[in-house]
Amino acid sequence: ETPYGPLICHQPLACIDGSTQPLLALNPLAHLYLAFAMCAPFFELMVKLMSEHPSDPEHPWHLVLYSDEVVPGNVIAHDNQRKVWVMYWSLLEFGPLLLSREESWLTVLVKRSVDVAKVEAGISQVFGGVIKLFFGALTTDMSLGGIVLKHHDSQWRLFVRMAMVVQDGGAHKFVWHCKGDSGTRMCMFCRNLVSEKSDLIDEEDGDELLTCSVIHDRDLDFATDEDIKGTCRRLAACHHTLSREHFLLRQQAVGFTYQPYGMLWDTSLDTIVQPISQYVHDWMHACFVKGVFNTIFFRLLVALQGAMDIYSHLAGYVATWEWPRGVAGSSHFARLFSDKCKESNRRAKTFKCSASEGLSLYALIAVWLMAVPLAAGVCVSECKAFLALSDVLDLLSSVAWGNVTPIALKAAVAMFLQACLAAGWARFMHSKFHWLIHFPYHLMRF
């Protein structure tokens, strides 16, 4: 028990069958209160940061939320009952270096996906319910009354407002009920962006991936928070007046799926949740999880196969490098270029590797490209496209150190996308290539 209620809290969720089920979560107010009172290192960190960034109603701290679906056990099991949705929260005042450490992220929710599927609007209603825990559903609203933190005989009051939501494409689609990667309007940030058919197929569900030929932000019409909220309000109004067929077409045209229990249709969150100004794409998912790196590296290998036995060549090259002891799995990196992996990549039309493997490999490949094929004048445009991607990845992975500007990142992204077109890869540029255009604006805002 704390002044802000028990550590474990229950909030009702509306279910599809008309019943309710409890949202079992960690009370974030009680969690913060107890961590401050009982954990000396956390107390010292918070006091240091509160002296650097004093908090009051006009100058609140900034809440950031992250959510993703996690699969413990067999990832490809037919009916994985252990799959769970997990939500974490932290504070932007911790700074980019601390936020790069998982210890800085506090868990607020772990809920089995099979239970989430029984809830109206799924994870969207759950996500909105968690946000309410911070802003009035329990004992206080952290943006209005703040939270009093006590340690021995001293106390501080901390005010916090909703500021950022970080997610990958899947969580983005399910939480915000935008059409996402599979929609005609695949980006809720852009009002005039329409996707095109591609030469790529999603290996898991067999759906054709969509692409976007717009590579310059000057050609895009960016949406605002009110644009999105207005779209959702109009969808709600049309739901009872249009036929089912016409309503489905309207949803496809505007890029959102109507869910009366969804977070964007919850009027109690209107002043708290801002879908455009708060949302940030997760760059690791964009680049390394069925991402830009995987697609570009595969296309590069296809181009180089005509000039050399590229897989065996790179297997031998990568095996000569030694990684720091802390890099997990580095002794197996050369296996990514085995005959078995080559065939698997060919079927999937992408280079298969984990995010950490891709992050460890890309710089080595860039060094080899400059020393071997570029020096010989082989596949020049393809090599330059990969090197331009390496520049983007260098900048993204350096953001936490504070030495990357939005202007530099924007220029690197523009150069990379232009290089992809020069390499003839337009029909392979799926939605995650488009995400890159928004990263300089994310960086500018946060």
Side-chain angles (χ1 to χ4, degrees):
E1 286 290 340
T2 74
Y4 298 98
L7 186 59
I8 303 296
C9 63
H10 301 78
Q11 297 292 313
L13 294 173
C15 295
I16 296 172
D17 62 5
S19 64
T20 62
Q21 65 166 274
L23 172 61
L24 180 67
L26 270 170
N27 177 342
L29 307 177
H31 194 177
L32 182 61
Y33 180 89
L34 290 171
F36 190 86
M38 300 172 64
C39 179
F42 186 74
F43 161 76
E44 293 169 3
L45 170 67
M46 289 292 291
V47 170
K48 175 179 179 292
L49 293 176
M50 285 190 288
S51 65
E52 297 173 356
H53 309 282
S55 172
D56 58 49
E58 285 73 37
H59 304 89
W61 279 23
H62 301 87
L63 174 69
V64 53
L65 295 172
Y66 175 81
S67 67
D68 200 5
E69 204 168 17
V70 180
V71 186
N74 184 3
V75 177
I76 60 173
H78 173 66
D79 185 18
N80 196 319
Q81 297 289 317
R82 300 176 65 199
K83 186 185 295 186
V84 293
W85 275 97
V86 190
M87 287 185 64
Y88 309 91
W89 67 278
S90 194
L91 297 160
L92 291 183
E93 279 67 22
F94 284 178
L97 290 179
L98 270 179
L99 289 172
S100 298
R101 299 179 61 88
E102 64 181 56
E103 295 90 343
S104 301
W105 293 83
L106 307 180
T107 307
V108 66
L109 173 85
V110 179
K111 190 170 182 65
R112 287 182 185 265
S113 299
V114 291
D115 291 330
V116 172
K118 300 173 184 176
V119 175
E120 287 276 11
I123 190 62
S124 185
Q125 186 187 164
V126 174
F127 202 98
V130 167
I131 291 176
K132 294 175 186 178
L133 299 180
F134 293 89
F135 304 109
L138 299 173
T139 56
T140 188
D141 184 326
M142 294 183 75
S143 64
L144 299 177
I147 177 174
V148 175
L149 302 174
K150 296 183 178 181
H151 189 87
H152 299 313
D153 296 329
S154 56
Q155 68 177 39
W156 291 259
R157 185 178 293 273
L158 182 67
F159 293 85
V160 178
R161 72 170 179 85
M162 184 70 198
M164 180 196 286
V165 177
V166 184
Q167 291 171 326
D168 68 355
H172 188 196
K173 176 179 179 179
F174 291 122
V175 169
W176 303 89
H177 285 290
C178 55
K179 290 294 186 180
D181 300 353
S182 61
T184 305
R185 290 275 306 278
M186 63 182 177
C187 178
M188 75 175 187
F189 283 87
C190 302
R191 292 190 291 195
N192 65 331
L193 185 68
V194 178
S195 55
E196 304 168 354
K197 290 185 177 181
S198 75
D199 288 350
L200 298 171
I201 299 292
D202 189 298
E203 187 183 21
E204 289 185 358
D205 56 25
D207 290 341
E208 190 175 60
L209 297 179
L210 300 176
T211 66
C212 162
S213 59
V214 180
I215 65 169
H216 297 295
D217 55 358
R218 63 174 179 266
D219 298 323
L220 295 169
D221 182 13
F222 293 133
T224 65
D225 294 314
E226 282 309 309
D227 289 334
I228 301 302
K229 292 180 179 181
T231 294
C232 293
R233 285 191 288 267
R234 289 189 292 275
L235 265 185
C238 292
H239 182 248
H240 301 291
T241 60
L242 296 179
S243 67
R244 183 177 183 276
E245 180 182 359
H246 284 90
F247 188 69
L248 290 174
L249 286 174
R250 187 177 184 91
Q251 288 184 135
Q252 180 180 349
V254 300
F256 286 87
T257 302
Y258 174 60
Q259 287 286 351
Y261 287 88
M263 188 168 65
L264 286 176
W265 288 269
D266 188 336
T267 54
S268 66
L269 292 173
D270 264 356
T271 60
I272 300 171
V273 174
Q274 309 300 332
I276 297 297
S277 56
Q278 291 172 352
Y279 188 81
V280 173
H281 292 95
D282 178 0
W283 75 266
M284 282 292 287
H285 278 86
C287 296
F288 292 110
V289 182
K290 296 181 182 177
V292 174
F293 167 82
N294 308 84
T295 300
I296 290 299
F297 192 25
F298 174 74
R299 301 317 313 176
L300 175 67
L301 294 176
V302 169
L304 289 170
Q305 279 174 358
M308 63 188 79
D309 185 0
I310 185 62
Y311 273 84
S312 61
H313 194 106
L314 287 179
Y317 166 72
V318 170
T320 63
W321 288 79
E322 183 173 340
W323 275 263
R325 202 174 306 165
V327 179
S330 58
S331 60
H332 306 301
F333 285 168
R335 297 182 187 176
L336 294 172
F337 302 95
S338 66
D339 290 340
K340 181 180 179 180
C341 290
K342 177 181 178 180
E343 177 59 22
S344 180
N345 294 342
R346 185 192 65 79
R347 291 196 303 268
K349 295 186 179 181
T350 188
F351 184 81
K352 291 186 172 183
C353 66
S354 69
S356 59
E357 289 167 343
L359 192 61
S360 296
L361 281 174
Y362 84 85
L364 270 65
I365 302 302
V367 170
W368 179 82
L369 289 176
M370 291 186 286
V372 182
L374 264 184
V378 175
C379 298
V380 173
S381 60
E382 291 88 348
C383 292
K384 286 185 176 179
F386 187 92
L387 292 174
L389 172 61
S390 300
D391 290 341
V392 173
L393 296 175
D394 285 345
L395 291 174
L396 287 171
S397 56
S398 302
V399 162
W401 298 97
N403 55 5
V404 177
T405 66
I407 293 176
L409 183 56
K410 182 178 178 180
V413 167
M415 187 173 295
F416 164 63
L417 295 177
Q418 189 63 52
C420 288
L421 296 183
W425 290 341
R427 64 189 188 279
F428 303 109
M429 294 169 67
H430 49 75
S431 61
K432 290 183 178 180
F433 285 76
H434 174 73
W435 291 9
L436 298 177
I437 296 176
H438 294 289
F439 283 124
Y441 295 93
H442 296 332
L443 180 57
M444 190 183 305
R445 184 174 293 123
F446 296 108

